Amino acid sequence: MEGSPIPVLTVPTAPYEDQRPAGGGGLRRPTGLFEGQRNYLPNFIQSVLSSIDLRDRQGCTMVVGSDGRYFSRTATEIVVQMAAANGIGRLIIGQNGILSTPAVSCIIRKIKAAGGIILTASHCPGGPGGEFGVKFNVANGGPAPDVVSDKIYQISKTIEEYAICPDLRIDLSRLGRQEFDLENKFKPFRVEIVDPVDIYLNLLRTIFDFNAIKSLLTGPSQLKIRIDAMHGVMGPYVRKVLCDELGAPANSAINCVPLEDFGGQHPDPNLTYATTLLEAMKGGEYGFGAAFDADGDRYMILGQNGFFVSPSDSLAIIAANLSCIPYFRQMGVRGFGRSMPTSTALDRVAKSMKVPVYETPAGWRFFSNLMDSGRCSLCGEESFGTGSDHLREKDGLWAVLVWLSIIAARKQSVEEIVRDHWAKFGRHYYCRFDYEALEPKTTYYIMRDLEALVTDKSFIGQQFAVGSHVYSVAKTDSFEYVDPVDGTVTKKQGLRIIFSDASRLIFRLSSSSGVRATIRLYAESYERDPSGHDQEPQAVLSPLIAIALKISQIHERTGRRGPTVIT
């Protein structure tokens, strides 16, 4: 600390009407909006900070991290300056501003911080023409619950000023403590720059048998792996954990340098965007492949020759093999959670294990209450996210280490493990079709009319004949969730059509970017007979999709010929 105290300024501002967090305390918008609209970012940061009760905020510790995308450094500086001015006592920040979303959750819980701010737009593209986002995690390490998001939004609608220390400058590259004297503050403001991996790695060591994984990756029957960080935040984690700690060769890891524009690619770990990994795996040289999204909470698993493990299958297989993980052998398994659109493959495992399954709306925040109350040990979503009660976020690297642990214990390939699972529990054919960048008004009317159709009593019992298939409607609803912990009711979370053979169609409206809207269509069909386990999912599901398109008229009403993305 040198020189005179740094002044704290109060800057007049005017509210924006579009700063409603999409869920989990997150605001995701085009980067140009954050960068170009006057006070757009400070307004939202002030709203987040003001949502913390003053008594809890004064002198508290918070965690700040980013996925390294364009505008992150500028935004981190603004967050630091505003945190100081708003009475935060200490910030923990990853070196160079980098922290994965799971690592932020880990650090919040480890040091009992008041919360954390994560600068990420998840799997969306970066760069000046991409997207940027701000996410608020609360004291349990998880995404903000809806009551907090609502409070942030209400504050954002009436904001008149924000507090900032514009002269405060930090060195994000230098590990260690930096302290600053501020005007009218009795205690110095402290920033601690930490290694982005170390605290999280220490947690992983308590969960897994690292020796068993290391033997798998380095022993005489070495499993060759290929891991794609997609130029997001996970590069340093992959190198330090899988290569340095667990012995995987350095060339196992690709695209490990975080880039502001993710190399011009979508940092989205699916078959549409992780094509570099998919092509490498199709060559047959590698027995295990994985990719991560920009902030490290989503993942994709591939086996030799590009064998794809669907996220819903991955969740169910992990559940069935938790005994391979020391953490679960010690802690036990209390229950499972899945988002409503996720396939019911997990339910069959839960039934065999005699543990409950909690079906929640989409959004990780709904799992936090279940885990905090001791009801849920493992949870996941069809959108490539899985996690356990070690954190309150989905955790891509954790899931990869679970898979490597299962392979080490069972001494089988990825494909063998999946096929054994299907033979025991049956196969759930599953696909998601995304109709992206639609006019919000159009999607509103499509969903309104569809809800009126499928929730009418006369729709129950209707039969749809497609080719040789006849589907009879057994149940429909607009999904509503009652939290078993606090009784909170969350309505209108998607339209479900369940047929008499347990096949499902689901329609759900998503608007995470806040500018355009997305309709997601999910189809699921169950096949018990092993002779039917080698079919292409889209071929199996095509009759269901035909029904969905007929009743929704989505192509006619949007002018689209098909979905934007199929996963």
Side-chain angles (χ1 to χ4, degrees):
M1 296 183 292
E2 297 177 0
S4 57
I6 297 171
V8 178
L9 303 185
T10 300
V11 180
T13 190
Y16 288 94
E17 289 298 317
D18 66 341
Q19 294 199 334
R20 177 190 288 276
L27 182 72
R28 192 183 303 167
R29 297 287 185 269
T31 306
L33 201 59
F34 280 100
E35 195 173 25
Q37 290 277 17
R38 180 179 175 83
N39 296 337
Y40 195 83
L41 177 63
N43 273 23
F44 189 70
I45 297 300
Q46 185 64 60
S47 301
V48 167
L49 295 173
S50 295
S51 74
I52 306 171
D53 289 342
L54 187 61
R55 289 173 300 175
D56 298 327
R57 189 166 79 231
Q58 293 302 312
C60 77
T61 297
M62 292 188 70
V63 182
V64 178
S66 80
D67 61 14
R69 69 180 56 230
Y70 176 80
F71 193 57
S72 289
R73 280 185 172 269
T74 299
T76 299
E77 189 170 81
I78 291 171
V79 169
V80 172
Q81 293 168 346
M82 292 186 66
N86 277 273
I88 306 299
R90 178 174 68 143
L91 291 182
I92 308 296
I93 308 177
Q95 188 176 27
N96 298 315
I98 293 288
L99 275 178
S100 73
T101 291
V104 170
S105 181
C106 171
I107 296 171
I108 290 172
R109 293 173 65 79
K110 175 72 174 176
I111 66 172
K112 295 180 170 55
I117 292 175
I118 311 171
L119 305 172
T120 178
S122 188
H123 54 288
C124 295
E131 296 207 3
F132 190 80
V134 182
K135 186 168 176 280
F136 179 48
N137 281 28
V138 292
N140 71 353
D146 287 347
V147 64
V148 174
S149 293
D150 290 344
K151 187 175 182 181
I152 292 169
Y153 180 50
Q154 293 306 319
I155 293 168
S156 78
K157 292 196 298 182
T158 58
I159 190 170
E160 295 179 347
E161 61 187 27
Y162 64 86
I164 190 167
C165 298
D167 296 336
L168 194 157
R169 295 286 184 269
I170 60 167
D171 183 353
L172 288 172
S173 67
R174 179 166 59 89
L175 291 171
R177 179 185 300 181
Q178 302 168 44
E179 291 191 344
F180 306 88
D181 268 333
L182 309 180
E183 281 185 355
N184 303 320
K185 304 289 182 182
F186 294 111
K187 292 183 179 179
F189 172 66
R190 183 191 306 168
V191 174
E192 294 180 24
I193 307 298
V194 300
D195 182 284
V197 184
D198 283 351
I199 298 173
Y200 172 72
L201 171 56
N202 286 335
L203 175 63
L204 295 179
R205 288 191 182 109
T206 69
I207 295 171
F208 297 100
D209 182 348
F210 270 24
N211 288 331
I213 301 174
K214 189 168 186 176
S215 295
L216 177 73
L217 300 180
T218 62
S221 302
Q222 174 191 356
L223 176 71
K224 293 191 70 174
I225 66 173
R226 191 75 162 175
I227 310 295
D228 190 349
M230 301 190 82
H231 289 303
V233 76
M234 288 306 292
Y237 295 83
V238 170
R239 291 234 181 262
K240 197 160 191 174
V241 179
L242 287 170
C243 299
D244 297 347
E245 183 84 9
L246 295 171
N251 61 7
S252 302
I254 59 173
N255 298 325
C256 281
V257 177
L259 298 176
E260 288 191 335
D261 66 348
F262 310 115
Q265 304 300 312
H266 270 70
D268 197 354
N270 59 40
L271 295 176
T272 301
Y273 296 117
T275 52
T276 301
L277 175 67
L278 180 61
E279 291 307 310
M281 294 303 296
K282 282 181 176 178
E285 179 183 354
Y286 302 99
F288 179 88
F292 301 104
D293 74 339
D295 64 321
D297 59 356
R298 300 172 195 246
Y299 71 104
M300 177 179 70
I301 301 294
L302 296 175
Q304 195 167 23
N305 303 314
F307 183 86
F308 173 63
V309 183
S310 78
S312 293
D313 275 350
S314 180
L315 173 61
I317 290 165
I318 287 173
N321 290 276
L322 288 179
S323 61
C324 298
I325 313 301
Y327 176 84
F328 293 103
R329 290 201 297 268
Q330 178 183 346
M331 302 294 291
V333 178
R334 292 177 291 281
F336 298 139
R338 65 166 176 83
S339 64
M340 181 272 287
T342 301
S343 95
T344 54
L346 178 67
D347 303 40
R348 296 184 187 274
V349 176
K351 185 177 180 181
S352 74
M353 295 175 65
K354 296 182 172 58
V355 299
V357 174
Y358 299 92
E359 186 178 35
T360 72
W364 206 260
R365 62 196 182 279
F366 294 103
F367 296 131
S368 291
N369 251 11
L370 297 172
M371 291 187 286
D372 285 348
S373 66
R375 286 172 166 82
C376 187
S377 301
L378 172 76
C379 43
E381 300 184 312
E382 49 72 35
S383 53
F384 295 84
T386 308
S388 86
D389 58 356
H390 71 291
L391 295 179
R392 295 298 180 267
E393 281 283 5
K394 46 188 176 282
D395 189 345
L397 184 52
W398 172 90
V400 165
L401 294 178
V402 171
W403 265 95
L404 291 174
S405 300
I406 295 169
I407 294 168
R410 294 185 51 162
K411 297 178 171 54
Q412 290 179 297
S413 69
V414 170
E415 184 171 351
E416 287 168 341
I417 290 167
V418 173
R419 290 192 179 280
D420 276 3
H421 185 88
W422 291 343
K424 182 176 181 180
F425 294 101
R427 181 175 183 183
H428 290 255
Y429 286 97
Y430 183 89
C431 265
R432 185 181 96 186
F433 301 80
D434 292 353
Y435 292 83
E436 297 178 327
L438 300 174
E439 283 288 344
K441 190 174 181 181
T442 301
T443 61
Y444 167 79
Y445 286 117
I446 290 173
M447 294 298 290
R448 184 200 65 178
D449 296 346
L450 193 56
E451 180 174 358
L453 174 69
V454 305
T455 57
D456 189 283
K457 290 181 180 178
S458 65
F459 197 74
I460 303 296
Q462 279 201 30
Q463 292 189 332
F464 294 88
V466 183
S468 60
H469 298 270
V470 178
Y471 294 88
S472 179
V473 177
K475 177 185 176 182
T476 66
D477 66 6
S478 174
F479 182 64
E480 180 177 298
Y481 177 64
V482 180
D483 192 305
V485 180
D486 59 20
T488 302
V489 179
T490 309
K491 298 183 177 183
K492 291 187 174 294
Q493 294 299 302
L495 301 174
R496 294 191 295 183
I497 304 172
I498 302 172
F499 297 94
S500 57
D501 67 349
S503 296
R504 297 194 307 163
L505 281 174
I506 295 163
F507 298 85
R508 191 172 73 84
L509 185 61
S510 175
S511 56
S512 58
S513 73
V515 180
R516 307 285 279 182
T518 296
I519 290 179
R520 304 195 198 279
L521 163 60
Y522 310 80
E524 177 182 3
S525 181
Y526 177 66
E527 178 58 70
R528 185 71 188 91
D529 185 354
S531 67
H533 289 173
D534 280 327
Q535 303 174 75
E536 282 296 317
Q538 287 188 52
V540 173
L541 297 168
S542 60
L544 283 170
I545 298 305
I547 296 169
L549 297 179
K550 179 181 179 181
I551 63 174
S552 68
Q553 296 289 294
I554 192 169
H555 289 175
E556 292 83 350
R557 297 182 70 169
T558 63
R560 300 286 178 87
R561 292 187 173 184
T564 318
V565 179
I566 300 173
T567 53

